[in-house]
Amino acid sequence: MDPAAGELLDRLRADFPCREGQLKTLLGLLGQANHCCFHSLFIYGHPATGKTTVTLAILQALQIPHVFLNCVECFTPRLLFEHILASMSSLGEHGSTTENLPRCDNLSEFSRMLHQKLQQLQLHESNVYIVLDKAEYLKNLDFKILAVFTRLQELTNCRVAAVLISELVWATFYSGTGCIEPLMLHFPQYNKAELQVILTKDFPNSYSSKFYANFVSILLSVFLPVSRDLRELQHLAALNFSKYCEPIEKGQIREDESNKLWRNIEPHLKKAMKTIYLQEVSSLQWEKWQKEGCTMPIKDFSAPVCLELPFYSKFLLIAAYLAAYNPARTDSRFFLKVFTFTPII
Amino acid sequence: MCSLATLCTWHSNLPKQGSVSPRKRAKAKGCTDFPKPPIVVVLRDLESFSPIMVRDFLLICSHYSSRLPMTLVLGVSTSHAEVHRLLSHTVSTHLCMERFQMPSASEMLTAVLDKVLLSDLVPFKLNGKALEVLLTNFLYHDFSISNILKGLQFSLLEHFLDKSLSMLCCAGPELSRRVQNLRAEHCEAIRRTSSFRRHVELQKPDVQVHLLTNDSKLKAEVERLLHSLAQYHTEFFMMLRALHVLVTDLPSAPLGKHLRELYCSCLEGPIWDKEAFIMTCELLRLMAADELLPRLKACIIMLKSPQRKNLQAASRPLGQVLSRLQHLVDGDEQHETASESEEEYKNEEEEAVAQAKEDVAVLRKTTNLHHLQQTLREQKAKQQRLPSRFERLRGKAINEVIHLVKKFLRPPEVQPLHEAWYYNGATSLRQHLDGTPRTSIHTALVRPQHYLQMGSKEVASTQGSGTDSLLSSPDICVAYRLHLECGRLINLYDWLQAFAAVVDREHEDEIQPQIHARFKRAVSDLQFLGFVKPTKRKTDHVARLTWGEH
């Protein structure tokens, strides 16, 4: 590995702790512009494990021409194709996106136009990557589309490859024939120690990292049983940190008395788990309550809303419920206002 | 092709302060870096969306959230937990939710009525029956504010369309202008109004003649009457609110808990004659000081209005009684000893003592044991416990309240010219707002000419009774008429034969395939309308589903 690549690896390692193995693999795969590129790459792992972020960071750092798109919004093949072609045209030096693209409906047209476009942009000699995030949505489209994306090089005769990013494993993508097995790269979920390291990374300037690490370990001890999602934990940390250091700012507790701080924050975090984690109150409302320091009406928010019904609807509902348990011929006996017995002949 | 990317480009090309509301623009003056307005998407009735669609939409939006500010308004009519049922946790973490809850239907109704009907700013009013139609519909059937509004709009429409007097339904300076512009036929219409006639009959004979013959005199009188009607309303609503404060939280609330209930009973007729009101007064007369005084105070505060001299003057005696009560409760004896009521009290006491002496004298005369028992009983009945000072003052206060109610809560029907402001079309309101689908379908099937525009010849033929009228009506009507004569289960073959006998008289012995087909179609139409259904109880039978009067 040349020194420039080593330097880059160090930089990325600082940005993305606990992702060393994946970074090395990706740099090895994408790092050399003159190398022949793979036919397709499949990256999978749980949500919030850094799949998309790491891939895009490397592509940007190496200044490799690439197209990124989220497959959620491509609910028809045409949207997918035109999206790729449109982003492709912005890759060129002119960056002209305003030109009107011709309609692109099917796969053969897509591969033809992709080839055309790459030649137009003088990119057919260099490696180009199409990054498809949330690739599991491609399964909802025609199964052939996935097959085409695994063998783009073959079909377009250019050095273009798809990088599929998904939360599911490749085994779930099998359908029909035509797929070439892509290269696999797994992003494992962070364990507690790793989460601790990553969360501690964004400590605020006014406090030491050790102090923040203490807070993070308290936070993890409360929230880890319910969520391992890094994004959620980051959000919760940002939300609750101000409450954590409130007694310090008031001068009631010193910074190193972690026991007292823990006792102070723990009931608060439990309360937060009940409400914010269920998204019943917005973080904005939560912050407002925190500032006001009021004992907020949790009950009001978690209690189900009392449904009111008009007078007769109530009766109708009760009658329907009762009638469900009676034979139909007794209905008139039970539900008529005036019942006169008349034997049915 | 439209996608969120297109929207995003459009949004980024927006001029910075192009389509911003004035309020936001005013805010923007302060800060130099003003963000573009967010795109607001309202999803009404969220429960009916397919969860997958909502999920994808939210994911796409969250993907674009850095470039395209978005605010979603999710309308949920059941409970907020529905959002969590619909959206998985991974999706709902993308949202920053804030909950807003609509007040309950009953509260909304109170708010609407408060603004529209229970206000002296709007001259247009509903009379008791019309209001009752709207309220019954709301409380018993649908809980729908929009239906109430529709009802109000409909009554406005009818009022101003039909009644010539409705042109006087306005307030302030506009009123005098309109009165001056009254034409001769309008004056005649006013003279024919029953409430105005009643008013005229109470005047002196020479005034009567003037009012009935001279238009300008009439106009002056009408203007005066309408101004006094406006004043009546102002005082009416203030008094109504004051009374409401007094009676709203009584045990078992005989006059109702809501202001609208009280208002309805005031509209129906003189409230002071109503049993509920008499019961309320009884309850008030039994109330302890610590409960009664705060209510009376709140009531007095409602009545105190510097603009309304009339009301203020009338409520003064009540205020005096209240202050005396207050002193009594506070134990301030000095105020009371000097008052004349104290002397009355003494007199009564002396009388009672004299009476007691007399009774003892009577007792001594009796010899018989049975007789003694009887006299003792009589005396007991006669001997009433003397009311304490507080009780007498309390009674006085209640009497004052009743006096005020009699003075200010007179029903609007006794006011002259109330027809100009009050809409009284309860029947037409009911007719137009409450659909009666079953009756309509029955009418349509029994008398099709009611809906179908038949030629005069056909109409003439349908005037006749029995099968003659049936002949010209559509097949489904024939089938319907025949099925009315059957019991629970209908034999299809008998039905078909009867049908064929009516429709096709030429071929009596055999049923033509066309007739058969027409019959089948009519029966399946009836099944679609819910009159018959196939049954497994008996082969070749259908069950009838409707009975009773239409």
Side-chain angles (χ1 to χ4, degrees), chain B residues 314-539:
Chain B
S315 66
R316 203 162 291 138
L318 181 61
Q320 284 165 0
V321 176
L322 182 65
S323 65
R324 275 167 67 190
L325 259 176
Q326 187 64 51
H327 288 310
L328 184 68
V329 171
D330 294 346
D332 233 353
E333 290 292 327
Q334 288 89 1
H335 289 269
E336 279 300 302
T337 42
S339 71
E340 54 170 327
S341 68
E342 189 60 19
E343 281 166 25
E344 269 172 40
Y345 185 64
K346 271 180 188 160
N347 286 344
E348 276 172 29
E349 225 163 48
E350 277 163 19
E351 266 175 40
V353 170
Q355 178 74 32
K357 274 179 189 165
E358 224 171 86
D359 287 346
V360 173
V362 170
L363 267 186
R364 285 203 182 119
K365 281 177 199 165
T366 52
T367 47
N368 189 340
L369 190 65
H370 175 72
H371 202 84
L372 178 73
Q373 209 178 1
Q374 214 166 11
T375 16
L376 273 175
R377 248 187 221 146
E378 271 169 22
Q379 279 181 14
K380 178 90 180 161
K382 220 191 287 171
Q383 203 179 44
Q384 280 169 345
R385 206 174 55 82
L386 274 179
S388 74
R389 203 184 295 151
F390 167 70
E391 281 167 344
R392 276 179 302 126
L393 276 177
R394 183 173 61 187
K396 234 180 200 177
I398 307 303
N399 285 341
E400 281 301 331
V401 171
I402 296 174
H403 173 71
L404 282 175
V405 166
K406 280 187 179 169
K407 185 158 184 198
F408 292 111
L409 287 187
R410 283 162 298 158
E413 270 78 19
V414 299
Q415 303 296 323
L417 285 184
H418 69 89
E419 288 96 336
W421 290 15
Y422 278 81
Y423 171 71
N424 57 2
T427 348
S428 109
L429 203 59
R430 193 177 292 129
Q431 237 172 34
H432 285 92
L433 293 184
D434 299 352
T436 46
R438 197 174 159 190
T439 322
S440 315
I441 292 176
H442 180 76
T443 321
L445 290 175
V446 173
R447 291 175 49 233
Q449 64 272 19
H450 185 82
Y451 290 103
L452 300 176
Q453 321 256 287
M454 290 180 168
S456 55
K457 187 180 153 201
E458 283 165 292
V459 172
S461 73
T462 50
Q463 294 299 317
S465 59
T467 47
D468 286 343
S469 68
L470 273 176
L471 259 179
S472 57
S473 36
D475 291 344
I476 184 170
C477 300
V478 179
Y480 180 75
R481 284 275 276 270
L482 293 170
H483 116 287
L484 282 182
E485 293 158 15
C486 298
R488 281 169 70 87
L489 293 172
I490 308 171
N491 187 325
L492 273 174
Y493 190 73
D494 293 347
W495 198 5
L496 170 63
Q497 274 189 324
F499 182 81
V502 173
V503 177
D504 182 28
R505 290 185 179 175
E506 289 151 24
H507 311 84
E508 289 207 345
D509 37 351
E510 57 175 331
I511 295 163
Q512 299 291 306
Q514 289 96 330
I515 300 294
H516 198 161
R518 279 165 65 184
F519 172 73
K520 261 187 174 170
R521 186 170 166 175
V523 171
S524 59
D525 279 350
L526 281 180
Q527 188 181 339
F528 175 71
L529 289 173
F531 287 104
V532 294
K533 70 164 187 185
T535 177
K536 282 178 183 164
R537 284 235 203 115
K538 239 172 167 183
T539 45

Side-chain angles (χ1 to χ4, degrees), chain B residues 17 23-35:
Chain B
Q17 293 187 7
R23 203 174 59 100
K24 278 189 179 168
R25 203 177 291 151
K27 256 195 219 162
K29 274 177 194 164
C31 52
T32 46
D33 185 29
F34 178 67

Side-chain angles (χ1 to χ4, degrees), chain B residues 83-96:
Chain B
V83 180
H84 296 292
R85 202 187 56 82
L86 198 71
L87 305 173
S88 63
H89 182 71
T90 39
V91 180
S92 63
T93 44
H94 289 286
L95 297 172
C96 172

Side-chain angles (χ1 to χ4, degrees), chain B residues 153-219:
Chain B
Q153 282 160 357
F154 177 80
S155 39
L156 265 175
L157 194 73
E158 274 228 326
H159 185 64
F160 286 104
L161 199 67
D162 286 0
K163 309 267 166 51
S164 56
L165 267 184
S166 62
M167 65 183 292
L168 296 176
C169 185
C170 58
E174 176 73 12
L175 183 66
S176 349
R177 200 180 59 74
R178 288 205 196 168
V179 170
Q180 290 317 315
N181 289 346
L182 283 176
R183 287 203 300 273
E185 70 255 34
H186 295 136
C187 292
E188 274 315 303
I190 289 172
R191 285 188 188 118
R192 277 199 300 275
T193 335
S194 62
S195 69
F196 187 74
R197 282 220 305 264
R198 242 180 289 138
H199 173 72
V200 169
E201 277 158 22
L202 294 176
Q203 310 297 320
K204 286 178 197 151
D206 53 332
V207 182
Q208 280 188 14
V209 171
H210 276 309
L211 285 179
L212 292 178
T213 52
N214 189 337
D215 275 3
S216 61
K217 283 265 162 58
L218 176 83
K219 280 178 189 168

